[in-house]
Amino acid sequence: MSVAKKQYKRITTKSLVDMKSNGEKISMLTAYDFTMAQIVDGAGIDVILVGDSASNVMAGHETTLPITLDQMIYHATSVVRAINRALVVVDLPFGSYQSDPKEALRSAIRIMKESGGHAVKLEGGKEVKESIKRIMHAGIPVMGHLGLTPQSIYKFGTYTVRAKEEQEAEKLKADALMLEKIGCFAIVLEKVPAKLAKEVAASLTIPVIGIGAGNGVDGQVLVVHDMLGMTHEFNPRFLRRYADLHGEMTKAFQNYRDDVKSSAFPSDDEQY
Ligand code: KIV
């Protein structure tokens, strides 16, 4: 059952702000390739994130750090070809925006020009303020990302919940206000206490989209491979699995293997 309050033919950054003011929650999932993006878009998901989590789930790296700008553009290009309705947001990968605002702008322009994505996302608060402003001055919409920022995993040392302590929570609140003030159209809040996330969402007019941030925010995002149950060894508390594709796919592959070995496949009807 759909609980959309208004039908949107195409989702824009403005639609998301409208959804927040109309009290309609925003659905967001990752996708990294054409076929998955076509299914996600066809199902009516509002935002598709070409996340740098592609580094983990597509390439098998332990962290998001190794993925390159060229690789992100490759994934984003495949996703954009599949889309009819969703807003496509593309992550700026580690190393493509941290050194200076000009480099950040060059990277964002490459993503927009070469992939056809609709917006970029980058991690951090006041440390990346000038880069975000520079990108937005070029007319490129920016989604912020606060809380657990996986590109800083070697600084944190762990993927545990962030901003449990007062000082970090205060910084997060100040960063969120700053991101809204300079013009970000939305913020992802990852793995922070639900009470804090709710407070941040209530203090902003732009939508806050949570992952592991509770139900008091304006929308939710999950990594598509996780919610489909393909990555069955990843079990954080916030993850709800909507399918067991690991199990389904394993069964299908085993059945196929058995059919090939026993010559049950192909049958007479499956040949020319
Ligand atoms: O890269 C990603 O998938 C993300 C989400 C976890 C928000 O940034």
Side-chain angles (χ1 to χ4, degrees):
M1 187 194 69
S2 170
V3 283
K5 300 211 167 154
K6 183 174 154 188
Q7 296 307 315
Y8 293 90
K9 248 181 122 177
R10 263 215 104 105
I11 303 295
T12 63
T13 55
K14 187 178 171 303
S15 325
L16 302 185
V17 179
D18 284 350
M19 284 183 194
K20 171 161 179 151
S21 46
N22 294 336
E24 175 174 343
K25 298 265 183 154
I26 297 162
S27 57
M28 171 161 150
L29 284 175
T30 65
Y32 320 97
D33 67 89
F34 177 85
T35 306
M36 186 73 86
Q38 205 169 41
I39 300 171
V40 173
D41 185 57
I45 297 300
D46 300 313
V47 185
I48 296 189
L49 173 65
V50 184
D52 59 359
S53 49
S55 181
N56 311 110
V57 294
M58 299 301 285
H61 293 297
E62 212 171 291
T63 72
T64 57
L65 275 65
I67 199 161
T68 65
L69 185 58
D70 283 336
Q71 288 165 342
M72 288 302 299
I73 290 170
Y74 167 77
H75 287 297
T77 307
S78 311
V79 166
V80 168
R81 272 189 215 115
I83 299 307
N84 285 314
R85 176 180 176 274
L87 182 82
V88 179
V89 180
V90 185
D91 264 340
L92 278 170
F94 178 69
S96 72
Y97 63 94
Q98 288 91 347
S99 59
D100 72 78
K102 277 193 194 159
E103 185 206 30
L105 176 59
R106 269 195 301 274
S107 303
I109 286 178
R110 279 202 60 202
I111 286 183
M112 301 298 284
K113 228 179 168 58
E114 295 177 38
S115 78
H118 308 137
V120 298
K121 172 165 87 58
L122 55 89
E123 297 181 5
K126 77 171 191 314
E127 314 75 23
V128 287
K129 179 177 173 186
E130 294 311 315
S131 294
I132 294 176
K133 281 169 73 174
R134 191 87 183 212
I135 294 170
M136 285 188 310
H137 281 154
I140 301 172
V142 177
M143 177 179 271
H145 184 154
L146 299 172
L148 177 65
T149 47
Q151 291 178 11
S152 303
I153 185 57
Y154 291 112
K155 182 174 96 183
F156 297 146
T158 160
Y159 286 104
T160 194
V161 181
R162 302 305 312 174
K164 286 207 284 197
E165 307 301 330
E166 171 91 23
Q167 201 182 354
E168 194 178 334
E170 288 307 315
K171 179 180 181 322
L172 189 148
K173 286 192 258 182
D175 279 341
L177 283 173
M178 179 278 292
L179 291 177
E180 168 162 285
K181 189 160 168 230
I182 65 173
C184 286
F185 68 92
I187 297 173
V188 163
L189 212 46
E190 180 164 355
K191 236 176 165 186
V192 297
K195 187 166 168 282
L196 172 66
K198 188 176 177 180
E199 197 185 319
V200 171
S203 71
L204 303 181
T205 56
I206 58 169
V208 172
I209 301 175
I211 173 164
N215 207 3
V217 290
D218 308 302
Q220 299 293 330
V221 54
L222 287 174
V223 169
V224 75
H225 292 70
D226 297 337
M227 64 84 77
L228 290 176
M230 296 169 90
T231 50
H232 71 313
E233 277 160 12
F234 180 61
N235 283 307
R237 187 204 293 198
F238 68 77
L239 175 60
R240 184 179 296 182
R241 293 190 202 292
Y242 286 83
D244 171 25
L245 287 202
H246 187 278
E248 289 298 314
M249 290 168 81
T250 302
K251 262 190 268 161
F253 297 146
Q254 287 169 340
N255 289 341
Y256 168 71
R257 178 203 58 198
D258 293 349
D259 286 352
V260 170
K261 298 274 179 197
S262 67
S263 294
F265 174 77
S267 67
D268 288 349
D269 292 345
E270 290 163 326
Q271 47 192 298
Y272 302 97

